[in-house]
Amino acid sequence: MSLQVTMDNNRKFIEALKFLSQTSRILNQPLQLGDLISIILEESIKLSEADLVCLILLDKKDNPENIYLMTAGSKRKLKFEQDEISLDHAGDYDAAVATPIDRDDRFNIFFRKHIDRDYKCRLRIPIFFRNRWSGYIDHYADDCSKFEVHNLIDFLKALTDSFAIALDNAELAELAFKKTLENKLLIETSLILSNKLEQDEVLNAIADSLKRLVDYDGLIIYLLREDHNLKPIFWRGYEDSVGADHLLNGSTEGLVGWTARTGQGAVVDDVSKDDRYVQARQKTRSEMVVPIKLKDRVIGVFNIESDQPGTYHEHDLDLLMTFAAKSAIAIERSSLYRELLLKKQLDQEVDIARSIQKTFLPRTDPEIKGFDVSGLNRSSRQVGGDYYDFIDIEEGQTGVVIADVAGKGVPAALIMASFRASLIAEIRNNYAIRAIMKKVNKLMTESLDKGNFVTAVYGVLDSRNRILTYSNAGHNPPLLFRQSGEVQELTYGGLAFGIKDDVRYSEQPLHLDPGDSLVLFTDGVTEAQNDRGEDFDNSRLIETFRKNEHKSAHEIVEAITSEVLKFKAEDFILDDLTLMVLKST
């Protein structure tokens, strides 16, 4: 070797050392990952004089996570299809080597697709990061002699080692920055959620905050019901006509069901390879689920999905678990607030129903010559549609009616108001009782929804002749107590109103002798239950009447009511209790 060649090599060696020293100082500065990658690509091209440098960073499963290329001074981050570049085991790249490659090399195929170039030689330098193979830097050239420079591989390995150290520092700095940002977002989320009570507001705030922490394409928030099924209470990123029944109806299946049962979170890189996945979005490729816990009790599940494979990692799982814990309190509080509002709404509804009932119930007992009459309506907590009335028709004739709507609350009270208006309108037309019943039934059938109906007994008391003519539309048969001791049930009539359009009703006249008494009542009387599940029934009603038959009509009503209330179990919700007593004096 000539003296000139030796001097040139020494000069290049010294220049390379200076280059490495300068690069190391740059790499040791606080750098963001993007800047760091740009520097290593640029410096690798300068040192190796390669035509192209390719940086491939691997994920923890040794799959390509990101591929960066630099050629002719331009850097590009290329997207790649799953399995587009398969990699050999790390052990194959323990040593840095320069090798010739042909056009069929999988990387040449990859480059041809993306940048329309082929290369003849490759010098591969493995990257070892935290004592594991984390990728490599490939140097490509059309002239293999470029990689035969003395000590080039050693210099490139030194450069790569500096990059690995800088990469570690950058990731630690990025992680610290990310942690700070995450903590700030978690604090902000807690403040936002603490100021919201309405469930819709809480859930929207959760979804917005979560999007800032862990990105997603689809989100479902489930609550665990008492039957241990999951009820979706909020979702984003799903079509209006969701294709999976489990989304709308609740489920114990899939990853969500597994999380609810085990109380554990899960990350799935590829949902097509996990048997627990139940498809609700066609685009979903990866998924993450975590339980929503309140004092170690699972109350629901967060499910987030991504259109990209391998989107979520263990750090994201830890973050979502923390987020779910903070959200749990807000969700539980909003649920309790919702229950409070519903209860308040129900109480208002009950008050409205009671007000409606009071408008068409008699304010006082009427005075009817030759008769002692009294009535009572005792509204339950679950207001129903009971109704009774004494209606003046003409002198010596009084309409007597008792009725019950199938249902409770404001709807039942409104139906009863409609029934009362229809009945009074037909009574004013002076039709026969059976005609009145038929016309009222037709009106109710036309106006009631399927499943709703009204039971009623309507009669006309002719006080001068002591005759009661009645018709029973599916109601509890009134009891006629004769002075002789006989008890007669008044059953003549037909079907309850609102069940069938064309019904013929029969009517029956009854002569009421002095000493006879008639008791009309709704099912709130005879169907009241005691602790043993026994009904008050007709036999107890008859017994109570017999004990008090010598008393006034008002006193008999009070006595029967008192016995029913004493009989019923403490936890039995009494239906509306309505009674009428007519005594022939």
Side-chain angles (χ1 to χ4, degrees):
M1 182 179 295
S2 68
L3 180 60
Q4 183 62 40
V5 171
T6 300
M7 291 177 64
D8 288 342
N9 286 339
N10 288 337
R11 186 170 57 254
K12 286 184 178 180
F13 182 80
I14 293 171
E15 289 175 354
L17 285 176
K18 289 181 179 179
F19 177 81
L20 284 176
S21 177
Q22 292 171 353
T23 304
S24 295
R25 283 198 298 271
I26 294 173
L27 292 177
N28 283 331
Q29 297 175 4
L31 295 171
Q32 293 186 350
L33 186 60
D35 295 334
L36 179 61
I37 288 171
S38 297
I39 290 171
I40 193 62
L41 289 172
E42 292 169 1
E43 301 305 308
S44 294
I45 279 187
K46 289 178 184 177
L47 188 59
S48 66
E49 297 183 354
D51 299 311
L52 176 144
V53 172
C54 175
L55 169 62
I56 299 180
L57 297 177
L58 308 178
D59 61 21
K60 292 182 179 180
K61 297 180 180 179
D62 294 345
N63 295 316
E65 187 171 33
N66 288 306
I67 298 178
Y68 302 88
L69 297 179
M70 176 167 282
T71 176
S74 65
K75 175 173 73 78
R76 302 203 308 176
K77 178 180 177 181
L78 296 182
K79 296 289 183 182
F80 61 93
E81 300 296 330
Q82 189 72 10
D83 300 329
E84 186 176 9
I85 293 185
S86 59
L87 300 175
D88 297 329
H89 191 270
D92 296 335
Y93 302 112
D94 284 342
V97 291
T99 56
I101 55 174
D102 54 36
R103 294 189 81 251
D104 294 331
D105 179 86
R106 61 183 179 273
F107 284 90
N108 256 342
I109 294 172
F110 178 74
F111 296 143
R112 195 179 306 128
K113 174 181 177 181
H114 290 284
I115 59 177
D116 196 25
R117 282 288 303 270
D118 289 334
Y119 298 96
K120 295 181 180 179
C121 291
R122 174 175 60 226
L123 173 59
R124 171 164 291 165
I125 308 295
I127 302 172
F128 289 94
F129 176 52
R130 296 179 188 171
N131 297 320
R132 64 175 292 271
W133 182 52
S134 302
Y136 42 76
I137 303 177
D138 280 347
H139 307 74
Y140 291 88
D142 291 328
D143 182 4
C144 296
S145 64
K146 287 186 176 183
F147 301 144
E148 296 174 358
V149 175
H150 183 62
N151 289 328
L152 175 62
I153 291 177
D154 292 333
F155 286 127
L156 289 175
K157 287 178 68 176
L159 178 63
T160 303
D161 290 342
S162 296
F163 169 68
I165 295 171
L167 180 63
D168 190 18
N169 293 335
E171 286 200 356
L172 289 174
E174 188 171 331
L175 182 61
F177 176 77
K178 189 176 181 181
K179 268 289 186 185
T180 302
L181 180 61
E182 288 169 354
N183 289 335
K184 180 182 177 183
L185 289 175
L186 286 172
I187 293 171
E188 289 177 1
T189 299
S190 297
L191 291 174
I192 291 171
L193 295 181
S194 66
N195 293 322
K196 297 186 182 298
L197 287 174
E198 292 283 356
Q199 190 175 71
D200 289 345
E201 290 185 355
V202 168
L203 295 175
N204 275 291
I206 286 173
D208 292 342
S209 299
L210 181 57
K211 186 77 171 175
R212 297 167 66 192
L213 280 170
V214 183
D215 196 15
Y216 58 81
D217 296 303
L219 162 69
I220 312 175
I221 302 175
Y222 292 92
L223 280 187
L224 197 62
R225 302 187 305 204
E226 290 183 1
D227 61 2
H228 302 294
N229 277 343
L230 291 160
K231 177 185 178 183
I233 59 170
F234 183 89
W235 56 84
R236 278 188 186 174
Y238 292 80
E239 294 74 16
D240 292 336
S241 55
V242 180
D245 290 339
H246 81 288
L247 174 60
L248 295 177
N249 299 328
S251 175
T252 57
E253 300 175 356
L255 279 160
V256 172
W258 176 85
T259 295
R261 289 191 300 274
T262 64
Q264 301 176 31
V267 173
V268 178
D269 293 334
D270 186 348
V271 293
S272 67
K273 297 178 181 178
D274 195 307
D275 294 336
R276 297 170 297 178
Y277 178 68
V278 177
Q279 188 182 61
R281 295 180 71 255
Q282 291 184 348
K283 295 181 179 180
T284 295
R285 293 295 176 268
S286 57
E287 182 179 21
M288 180 163 60
V289 289
V290 301
I292 304 172
K293 290 184 177 182
L294 196 64
K295 295 181 179 178
D296 295 327
R297 174 174 60 91
V298 176
I299 65 169
V301 175
F302 273 130
N303 175 67
I304 64 174
E305 302 183 9
S306 171
D307 296 346
Q308 301 299 323
T311 300
Y312 307 114
H313 305 90
E314 289 300 317
H315 173 74
D316 298 315
L317 184 64
D318 293 339
L319 182 60
L320 188 55
M321 292 285 280
T322 303
F323 181 83
K326 291 184 177 295
S327 301
I329 298 173
I331 292 174
E332 181 80 354
R333 189 176 63 244
S334 70
S335 296
L336 294 174
Y337 180 68
R338 187 182 184 90
E339 289 178 9
L340 183 64
L341 288 181
L342 289 174
K343 183 180 182 302
K344 185 177 180 181
Q345 182 180 350
L346 180 60
D347 290 342
Q348 291 174 342
E349 184 176 296
V350 168
D351 290 340
I352 292 170
R354 284 177 177 151
S355 299
I356 293 172
Q357 280 185 315
K358 286 180 180 179
T359 62
F360 50 71
L361 292 174
R363 295 184 179 180
T364 60
D365 293 330
E367 294 183 4
I368 301 174
K369 187 176 180 180
F371 289 87
D372 178 17
V373 299
S374 183
L376 174 143
N377 170 263
R378 186 181 188 280
S379 296
S380 69
R381 283 178 290 169
Q382 302 293 325
V383 174
D386 278 13
Y387 164 61
Y388 83 95
D389 206 354
F390 300 97
I391 304 168
D392 288 330
I393 299 176
E394 58 184 43
E395 187 177 352
Q397 291 192 342
T398 303
V400 178
V401 59
I402 189 167
D404 187 6
V405 173
K408 299 188 184 300
V410 171
L414 292 176
I415 291 172
M416 185 52 71
S418 175
F419 162 75
R420 177 178 180 270
S422 300
L423 177 65
I424 291 176
E426 297 305 325
I427 290 173
R428 298 294 183 232
N429 289 327
N430 291 314
Y431 288 108
I433 289 176
R434 58 179 176 271
I436 291 173
M437 301 292 275
K438 184 174 182 178
K439 286 180 174 291
V440 170
N441 176 61
K442 185 172 178 62
L443 290 169
M444 298 308 295
T445 304
E446 291 174 352
S447 61
L448 293 181
D449 293 332
K450 187 176 181 180
N452 289 332
F453 59 90
V454 179
T455 68
V457 175
Y458 171 65
V460 176
L461 176 63
D462 180 350
S463 58
R464 285 178 295 194
N465 296 309
R466 293 184 178 273
I467 294 175
L468 173 72
T469 304
Y470 80 93
S471 183
N472 187 335
H475 194 76
N476 300 76
L479 299 176
L480 176 58
F481 293 87
R482 295 293 189 181
Q483 178 67 25
S484 63
E486 178 189 357
V487 180
Q488 182 182 348
E489 292 187 350
L490 308 190
T491 58
Y492 275 79
L495 287 176
F497 297 134
I499 294 177
K500 189 177 178 182
D501 187 13
D502 189 16
V503 179
R504 290 179 178 273
Y505 290 89
S506 60
E507 60 185 59
Q508 183 183 38
L510 297 169
H511 190 274
L512 301 179
D513 296 323
D516 291 345
S517 296
L518 180 65
V519 178
L520 301 92
F521 54 91
T522 58
D523 56 11
V525 175
T526 53
E527 294 181 7
Q529 291 183 350
N530 61 15
D531 292 324
R532 296 186 294 275
E534 299 169 338
D535 287 349
F536 188 79
D537 67 33
N538 279 13
S539 63
R540 289 182 175 86
L541 175 57
I542 293 170
E543 181 183 351
T544 303
F545 176 83
R546 289 300 187 200
K547 290 178 181 178
N548 297 276
E549 60 184 331
H550 61 284
K551 298 179 180 179
S552 68
H554 177 74
E555 289 171 329
I556 293 172
V557 167
E558 291 291 336
I560 293 173
T561 302
S562 177
E563 285 299 315
V564 171
L565 295 177
K566 284 192 293 184
F567 175 82
K568 79 173 188 71
E570 288 187 7
D571 60 348
F572 181 79
I573 299 176
L574 189 68
D575 197 354
D576 279 11
L577 187 155
T578 304
L579 273 168
M580 301 173 73
V581 173
L582 286 78
K583 294 190 70 177
S584 178
T585 61

